[in-house]
PDB file of all heavy atoms in Angstrom:
ATOM      1  N   ARG A  83     -71.730  31.964  63.980  1.00 91.00           N
ATOM      2  CA  ARG A  83     -71.794  31.921  65.436  1.00 91.00           C
ATOM      3  C   ARG A  83     -73.329  31.698  65.899  1.00 91.00           C
ATOM      4  O   ARG A  83     -73.504  30.896  66.841  1.00 91.00           O
ATOM      5  CB  ARG A  83     -71.351  33.232  66.096  1.00 91.00           C
ATOM      6  CG  ARG A  83     -69.818  33.380  66.037  1.00 91.00           C
ATOM      7  CD  ARG A  83     -69.376  34.611  66.766  1.00 91.00           C
ATOM      8  NE  ARG A  83     -68.046  34.857  66.653  1.00 91.00           N
ATOM      9  CZ  ARG A  83     -67.406  35.954  67.060  1.00 91.00           C
ATOM     10  NH1 ARG A  83     -68.054  36.873  67.732  1.00 91.00           N
ATOM     11  NH2 ARG A  83     -66.105  36.066  66.945  1.00 91.00           N
ATOM     12  N   LYS A  84     -74.215  32.400  65.257  1.00 90.00           N
ATOM     13  CA  LYS A  84     -75.612  32.236  65.579  1.00 90.00           C
ATOM     14  C   LYS A  84     -76.105  30.831  65.286  1.00 90.00           C
ATOM     15  O   LYS A  84     -76.729  30.227  66.101  1.00 90.00           O
ATOM     16  CB  LYS A  84     -76.475  33.231  64.797  1.00 90.00           C
ATOM     17  CG  LYS A  84     -77.883  33.218  65.155  1.00 90.00           C
ATOM     18  CD  LYS A  84     -78.626  34.285  64.381  1.00 90.00           C
ATOM     19  CE  LYS A  84     -80.123  34.320  64.615  1.00 90.00           C
ATOM     20  NZ  LYS A  84     -80.780  35.337  63.866  1.00 90.00           N
ATOM     21  N   LYS A  85     -75.654  30.216  64.171  1.00 89.00           N
ATOM     22  CA  LYS A  85     -76.018  28.933  63.840  1.00 89.00           C
ATOM     23  C   LYS A  85     -75.476  27.856  64.806  1.00 89.00           C
ATOM     24  O   LYS A  85     -76.110  26.928  65.258  1.00 89.00           O
ATOM     25  CB  LYS A  85     -75.540  28.538  62.386  1.00 89.00           C
ATOM     26  CG  LYS A  85     -76.119  27.266  61.833  1.00 89.00           C
ATOM     27  CD  LYS A  85     -75.808  27.124  60.403  1.00 89.00           C
ATOM     28  CE  LYS A  85     -77.021  27.412  59.640  1.00 89.00           C
ATOM     29  NZ  LYS A  85     -76.928  27.210  58.232  1.00 89.00           N
ATOM     30  N   GLN A  86     -74.166  28.076  65.217  1.00 87.00           N
ATOM     31  CA  GLN A  86     -73.583  27.176  66.169  1.00 87.00           C
ATOM     32  C   GLN A  86     -74.319  27.325  67.541  1.00 87.00           C
ATOM     33  O   GLN A  86     -74.515  26.296  68.156  1.00 87.00           O
ATOM     34  CB  GLN A  86     -72.116  27.497  66.424  1.00 87.00           C
ATOM     35  CG  GLN A  86     -71.222  27.197  65.177  1.00 87.00           C
ATOM     36  CD  GLN A  86     -69.799  27.625  65.375  1.00 87.00           C
ATOM     37  OE1 GLN A  86     -69.513  28.392  66.258  1.00 87.00           O
ATOM     38  NE2 GLN A  86     -68.965  27.264  64.508  1.00 87.00           N
ATOM     39  N   LYS A  87     -74.701  28.483  67.913  1.00 84.00           N
ATOM     40  CA  LYS A  87     -75.366  28.650  69.173  1.00 84.00           C
ATOM     41  C   LYS A  87     -76.726  27.991  69.129  1.00 84.00           C
ATOM     42  O   LYS A  87     -77.122  27.353  70.100  1.00 84.00           O
ATOM     43  CB  LYS A  87     -75.550  30.128  69.474  1.00 84.00           C
ATOM     44  CG  LYS A  87     -76.159  30.378  70.829  1.00 84.00           C
ATOM     45  CD  LYS A  87     -76.273  31.903  71.099  1.00 84.00           C
ATOM     46  CE  LYS A  87     -76.918  32.186  72.437  1.00 84.00           C
ATOM     47  NZ  LYS A  87     -77.105  33.555  72.756  1.00 84.00           N
ATOM     48  N   GLU A  88     -77.413  28.076  68.017  1.00 83.00           N
ATOM     49  CA  GLU A  88     -78.736  27.389  67.832  1.00 83.00           C
ATOM     50  C   GLU A  88     -78.575  25.878  67.902  1.00 83.00           C
ATOM     51  O   GLU A  88     -79.348  25.134  68.548  1.00 83.00           O
ATOM     52  CB  GLU A  88     -79.401  27.777  66.553  1.00 83.00           C
ATOM     53  CG  GLU A  88     -79.880  29.201  66.567  1.00 83.00           C
ATOM     54  CD  GLU A  88     -80.433  29.633  65.184  1.00 83.00           C
ATOM     55  OE1 GLU A  88     -80.387  28.828  64.225  1.00 83.00           O
ATOM     56  OE2 GLU A  88     -80.921  30.722  65.087  1.00 83.00           O
ATOM     57  N   ASP A  89     -77.468  25.352  67.258  1.00 81.00           N
ATOM     58  CA  ASP A  89     -77.205  23.902  67.386  1.00 81.00           C
ATOM     59  C   ASP A  89     -76.928  23.464  68.780  1.00 81.00           C
ATOM     60  O   ASP A  89     -77.400  22.458  69.186  1.00 81.00           O
ATOM     61  CB  ASP A  89     -75.980  23.583  66.434  1.00 81.00           C
ATOM     62  CG  ASP A  89     -76.306  23.738  64.970  1.00 81.00           C
ATOM     63  OD1 ASP A  89     -77.508  23.864  64.654  1.00 81.00           O
ATOM     64  OD2 ASP A  89     -75.382  23.810  64.181  1.00 81.00           O
ATOM     65  N   VAL A  90     -76.172  24.263  69.564  1.00 76.00           N
ATOM     66  CA  VAL A  90     -75.914  23.939  70.920  1.00 76.00           C
ATOM     67  C   VAL A  90     -77.170  23.964  71.777  1.00 76.00           C
ATOM     68  O   VAL A  90     -77.365  23.114  72.602  1.00 76.00           O
ATOM     69  CB  VAL A  90     -74.824  24.865  71.495  1.00 76.00           C
ATOM     70  CG1 VAL A  90     -74.719  24.698  73.021  1.00 76.00           C
ATOM     71  CG2 VAL A  90     -73.442  24.671  70.841  1.00 76.00           C
ATOM     72  N   ASP A  91     -78.050  24.913  71.489  1.00 75.00           N
ATOM     73  CA  ASP A  91     -79.322  25.021  72.239  1.00 75.00           C
ATOM     74  C   ASP A  91     -80.160  23.795  71.952  1.00 75.00           C
ATOM     75  O   ASP A  91     -80.796  23.222  72.829  1.00 75.00           O
ATOM     76  CB  ASP A  91     -80.035  26.336  71.841  1.00 75.00           C
ATOM     77  CG  ASP A  91     -79.386  27.547  72.470  1.00 75.00           C
ATOM     78  OD1 ASP A  91     -78.588  27.375  73.351  1.00 75.00           O
ATOM     79  OD2 ASP A  91     -79.631  28.680  72.014  1.00 75.00           O
ATOM     80  N   ILE A  92     -80.183  23.346  70.663  1.00 75.00           N
ATOM     81  CA  ILE A  92     -80.982  22.218  70.330  1.00 75.00           C
ATOM     82  C   ILE A  92     -80.482  20.922  71.078  1.00 75.00           C
ATOM     83  O   ILE A  92     -81.218  20.163  71.583  1.00 75.00           O
ATOM     84  CB  ILE A  92     -81.049  22.038  68.799  1.00 75.00           C
ATOM     85  CG1 ILE A  92     -81.840  23.179  68.170  1.00 75.00           C
ATOM     86  CG2 ILE A  92     -81.624  20.712  68.452  1.00 75.00           C
ATOM     87  CD1 ILE A  92     -81.750  23.238  66.713  1.00 75.00           C
ATOM     88  N   VAL A  93     -79.146  20.816  71.021  1.00 70.00           N
ATOM     89  CA  VAL A  93     -78.542  19.619  71.660  1.00 70.00           C
ATOM     90  C   VAL A  93     -78.649  19.757  73.142  1.00 70.00           C
ATOM     91  O   VAL A  93     -78.962  18.721  73.876  1.00 70.00           O
ATOM     92  CB  VAL A  93     -77.020  19.505  71.281  1.00 70.00           C
ATOM     93  CG1 VAL A  93     -76.392  18.429  72.083  1.00 70.00           C
ATOM     94  CG2 VAL A  93     -76.924  19.206  69.759  1.00 70.00           C
ATOM     95  N   GLY A  94     -78.505  20.898  73.800  1.00 63.00           N
ATOM     96  CA  GLY A  94     -78.640  21.072  75.204  1.00 63.00           C
ATOM     97  C   GLY A  94     -80.040  20.819  75.699  1.00 63.00           C
ATOM     98  O   GLY A  94     -80.250  20.378  76.776  1.00 63.00           O
ATOM     99  N   GLY A  95     -81.019  21.224  74.852  1.00 57.00           N
ATOM    100  CA  GLY A  95     -82.409  21.060  75.291  1.00 57.00           C
ATOM    101  C   GLY A  95     -82.835  19.618  75.377  1.00 57.00           C
ATOM    102  O   GLY A  95     -83.658  19.224  76.176  1.00 57.00           O
ATOM    103  N   SER A  96     -82.215  18.766  74.588  1.00 51.00           N
ATOM    104  CA  SER A  96     -82.596  17.337  74.616  1.00 51.00           C
ATOM    105  C   SER A  96     -81.932  16.584  75.797  1.00 51.00           C
ATOM    106  O   SER A  96     -82.279  15.449  76.074  1.00 51.00           O
ATOM    107  CB  SER A  96     -82.160  16.633  73.293  1.00 51.00           C
ATOM    108  OG  SER A  96     -80.804  16.703  73.138  1.00 51.00           O
ATOM    109  N   ASP A  97     -80.957  17.201  76.431  1.00 47.00           N
ATOM    110  CA  ASP A  97     -80.282  16.564  77.540  1.00 47.00           C
ATOM    111  C   ASP A  97     -81.090  16.609  78.843  1.00 47.00           C
ATOM    112  O   ASP A  97     -80.754  15.989  79.803  1.00 47.00           O
ATOM    113  CB  ASP A  97     -78.950  17.236  77.897  1.00 47.00           C
ATOM    114  CG  ASP A  97     -77.890  16.909  76.731  1.00 47.00           C
ATOM    115  OD1 ASP A  97     -78.133  15.934  75.990  1.00 47.00           O
ATOM    116  OD2 ASP A  97     -76.854  17.635  76.682  1.00 47.00           O
ATOM    117  N   GLU A  99     -81.900  19.584  80.490  1.00 48.00           N
ATOM    118  CA  GLU A  99     -81.553  20.654  81.383  1.00 48.00           C
ATOM    119  C   GLU A  99     -82.829  21.480  81.704  1.00 48.00           C
ATOM    120  O   GLU A  99     -82.876  22.098  82.724  1.00 48.00           O
ATOM    121  CB  GLU A  99     -80.573  21.597  80.712  1.00 48.00           C
ATOM    122  CG  GLU A  99     -79.162  20.943  80.659  1.00 48.00           C
ATOM    123  CD  GLU A  99     -78.131  21.827  80.048  1.00 48.00           C
ATOM    124  OE1 GLU A  99     -78.440  23.021  79.811  1.00 48.00           O
ATOM    125  OE2 GLU A  99     -77.068  21.412  79.685  1.00 48.00           O
TER     126      GLU A  99
END
Side-chain angles (χ1 to χ4, degrees):
R83 285 184 187 177
K84 185 178 178 182
K85 188 171 260 188
Q86 287 175 351
K87 185 178 179 182
E88 289 175 355
D89 292 343
V90 169
D91 288 343
I92 291 170
V93 172
S96 64
D97 289 344
E99 290 181 12

